[in-house]
Coordinates of all heavy atoms in Angstrom, one line a residue:
Q991 N 5.0 4.4 18.1 CA 5.0 5.2 16.9 C 3.9 4.6 15.9 O 3.4 5.4 15.1 CB 6.4 5.1 16.2 CG 7.4 5.9 16.9 CD 8.8 5.8 16.3 OE1 9.1 4.7 15.9 NE2 9.5 6.9 16.2
T1171 N 7.9 -11.6 17.4 CA 7.9 -13.0 17.0 C 6.6 -13.5 16.5 O 6.5 -14.0 15.4 CB 8.3 -13.9 18.2 OG1 9.6 -13.5 18.7 CG2 8.4 -15.4 17.8
D1350 N 12.7 17.3 -19.9 CA 13.4 17.4 -18.7 C 12.4 17.6 -17.5 O 12.0 18.8 -17.3 CB 14.4 18.5 -18.7 CG 15.3 18.6 -17.4 OD1 15.1 17.7 -16.5 OD2 16.1 19.5 -17.2
P1387 N 6.3 12.9 -1.0 CA 5.9 14.0 -0.1 C 5.6 15.4 -0.8 O 5.9 16.4 -0.2 CB 7.2 14.1 0.8 CG 8.3 13.8 -0.2 CD 7.7 12.8 -1.1
N1472 N -16.8 14.3 -22.6 CA -17.1 14.0 -24.0 C -17.7 12.6 -24.2 O -17.4 11.9 -25.1 CB -15.9 14.2 -24.8 CG -16.2 14.3 -26.3 OD1 -17.2 14.8 -26.7 ND2 -15.3 13.7 -27.2

Side-chain angles (χ1 to χ4, degrees):
Q991 290 176 321
T1171 303
D1350 183 7
N1472 194 33

